[in-house]
Amino acid sequence: MSQTTSAQSAAPARFSDVKGWFWPADQLLFDWFLARQERQELHGDLLELGAYLGKSAIFMGSYLREDETFTVCDLFDSPAPDDPNSEEMDRSYATLTRRAFEANYLSFHDELPVVVQAPTSVIAGRVPAGSCRFIHVDASHLYEHVHGDIAAARALIAPDGIVAFDDFRAEHCPGVAAAVWGAVATTGLRPICITGTKLYGTWSDPDPVREELLTWLSGRSDMWHGVEEVAGSPLIRIDGKKAKAPKAPRSRHEGAAPSTPKPPSEPVPAPKPRQPLARRLAKTLLPRR
Ligand SMILES: C[S@@+](CC[C@H](N)C(=O)[O-])C[C@H]1O[C@@H](n2cnc3c(N)ncnc32)[C@H](O)[C@@H]1O
């Protein structure tokens, strides 16, 4: 999340117009995990901690079934609960508003998810324990907050549920790495695979899902993968830099004229009058004083 952000004003005509940090390799993995749950008829709710302008939420919302609830929790334009979190918000998400999230989401889906506009520390009290089949943890990237988010995810995850942690290894957010690997060491979180940006794990048996994932990966030429023993279990490493994104959710504004007019283009400055050739040559050839 080191890119600078500015307000996104026009209604998104395509999924690629929605600003966020959700790259093709992770879109493919979300699709793979969520479609597998559908094939297995595993029902349960979806939860996202940290939605920003809705990029990953819009994607997840496409897998929601009638009997399920999708909850997103984000501060949006509310004050952060402490100073470090407040600095993080000012630095990375200063232009974020809940209205912008909602407008984006409704460009792709008929109904909003349940929106909890609050610090993620409230989430364990708002979502039933053991109800979620898929949780995306992508809110504050500070250790104390992520530590709390992991505890909440553990309480809310359903049997065989999958949890995805964003930015688990980046230089700008060591707290996420410490909290996630700490949970592997102390809470029984079992990592399944990693991409450049996310770690996917479960608190259930990781072997069946890992085996199926390996079979799927071996048929893909756009993503390299390897397996390495980490903390006593095989971990699938995925290099998805060349990954081809799956079919994106469709915006209802696709093909429509942009809803905000483009600003008038900058006036082109008049060309400077050229100096006579002798003056130009003299400038280039004579030594400077
Ligand atoms: C990296 S962004 C989420 C990106 C989004 N999932 C995507 O893929 O585009 C992190 C979000 O977490 C929110 N956030 C930061 N600290 C939070 C906290 N303590 N509680 C709830 N949300 C928080 C920010 O408002 C921001 O929208």
Side-chain angles (χ1 to χ4, degrees):
M1 52 137 209
S2 46
Q3 88 188 19
T4 354
T5 57
S6 56
Q8 179 196 292
S9 46
R14 285 172 305 270
F15 184 61
S16 55
D17 295 337
V18 181
K19 292 189 175 179
W21 297 268
F22 187 45
W23 314 117
D26 293 300
Q27 292 174 27
L28 280 166
L29 282 158
F30 273 47
D31 174 62
W32 187 83
F33 282 113
L34 289 161
R36 176 179 183 267
Q37 293 184 338
E38 216 163 279
R39 283 197 304 279
Q40 298 200 322
E41 294 184 21
L42 182 72
H43 283 248
D45 297 332
L46 306 180
L47 172 64
E48 176 161 83
L49 305 181
Y52 188 53
L53 286 166
K55 185 130 196 157
S56 46
I58 290 164
F59 196 89
M60 287 171 70
S62 305
Y63 299 83
L64 188 69
R65 287 168 289 186
E66 289 243 309
D67 59 332
E68 300 174 336
T69 304
F70 180 22
T71 305
V72 303
C73 176
D74 199 295
L75 288 167
F76 296 114
D77 25 9
S78 301
D82 55 57
D83 288 348
N85 196 188
S86 190
E87 277 166 33
E88 184 187 20
M89 294 295 293
D90 291 346
R91 192 173 55 242
S92 303
Y93 320 116
T95 58
L96 176 63
T97 64
R98 176 169 172 174
R99 272 187 68 189
F101 164 81
E102 292 185 346
N104 279 350
Y105 195 91
L106 290 173
S107 299
F108 294 84
H109 298 291
D110 294 336
E111 278 177 38
L112 286 172
V114 174
V115 177
V116 176
Q117 182 170 2
T120 53
S121 53
V122 309
I123 203 64
R126 303 284 183 94
V127 171
S131 64
C132 299
R133 63 181 164 97
F134 192 92
I135 302 179
H136 183 205
V137 179
D138 190 10
S140 168
H141 286 29
L142 300 169
Y143 176 81
E144 277 72 19
H145 293 274
V146 184
H147 188 266
D149 293 349
I150 295 172
R154 191 180 178 199
L156 302 179
I157 200 82
D160 290 326
I162 299 293
V163 58
F165 297 100
D166 185 64
D167 264 343
F168 75 100
R169 57 160 220 160
E171 174 273 328
H172 66 276
C173 44
V176 184
V180 172
W181 287 112
V184 173
T186 62
T187 74
L189 173 67
R190 312 290 302 274
I192 298 167
C193 66
I194 54 169
T195 62
T197 39
K198 297 193 199 285
L199 180 146
Y200 298 78
T202 181
W203 275 281
S204 300
D205 178 6
D207 291 341
V209 60
R210 193 190 289 123
E211 284 311 308
E212 275 184 50
L213 182 58
L214 278 171
T215 308
W216 175 71
L217 285 167
S218 59
R220 290 201 72 97
S221 54
D222 59 339
M223 292 200 287
W224 175 91
H225 75 280
V227 181
E228 186 167 323
E229 197 82 358
V230 176
S233 303
L235 174 67
I236 306 175
R237 290 171 48 214
I238 299 171
D239 178 345
K241 285 196 266 311
K242 295 186 182 146
K244 291 196 185 77
K247 203 161 167 266
R250 249 190 105 133
S251 166
R252 63 180 88 251
H253 307 293
E254 196 173 302
S259 60
T260 42
K262 277 191 176 171
S265 46
E266 295 274 278
V268 182
K272 282 188 186 160
R274 275 175 77 73
Q275 291 172 322
L277 180 63
R279 283 260 307 269
R280 274 189 275 143
L281 277 175
K283 229 176 169 182
T284 327
L285 298 176
L286 294 176
R288 284 164 191 251
R289 271 182 287 164

